[in-house]
Amino acid sequence: MTTTNLPQYLESNALIRFEDCDPFGHLNNGRYTDYFLNAREDQLRDNYNLDIYRHMKAAGKAWVVSTNQMAYLCEAKLMEAVTIRTNLRWFTDTDILTEALMLDNKTAEIKSVAWIRFSYIDVKLGRKTQHEEHLVELFRSVAILGEGKDPMMFEERVKELRAAAVAKV
């Protein structure tokens, strides 16, 4: 796979479903992660030809969520169409950090932001392992901040996004 001219930001649409909502018709807090993970999985397959399950079967390695941070800025409502935008923020030899935004389809208002850190695991050994070179090449071509951990804290990023939203008004 060629890694030139790959998009850094990936987007897909989702519809907020009844079974994922609380009695008030708002997306349940615990379900945001599912929407983000499902969208990212599809986006990787569709845009980078990276099927994480096929990769696990072939390489015997997979990514598991090691940390998760989320901020809820505006509720997502029952049967609302949303856009989920994701990117690879940074990577190391064993970890990646994905940022995911849930946006209002009509106004692009941010409903939620998440940072999801994944560790690369050797499935048979059950412990961290290093990314293969072809993965590092892909990461280098699409990571927003590149190799190495981001010095920015999650709370600072949320403030940055809120400020950008206010500036648009």
Side-chain angles (χ1 to χ4, degrees), residues 10-12 39-47 84 86:
L10 305 178
E11 287 190 359
S12 55
R40 184 66 177 175
E41 176 188 335
D42 294 344
Q43 293 166 355
L44 290 173
R45 185 190 59 243
D46 296 345
N47 292 276
I84 298 176
T86 70

Side-chain angles (χ1 to χ4, degrees), residues 25-36:
H26 300 146
L27 182 60
N28 181 290
N29 290 4
R31 300 292 291 155
Y32 281 82
T33 301
D34 293 333
Y35 278 78
F36 288 141

Side-chain angles (χ1 to χ4, degrees), residues 16 25 27 29 43 55-56 58 61 65 70 79 86 98 110 118 125 128 134 147 151 162 169:
I16 305 302
L27 182 60
N29 290 4
Q43 293 166 355
H55 176 80
M56 182 180 66
K61 299 171 185 169
V65 174
M70 194 163 319
M79 297 308 290
T86 70
T98 298
I110 300 172
F118 298 88
L125 300 176
K128 277 189 180 187
H134 72 278
E147 195 164 357
R162 285 182 196 257
V169 178

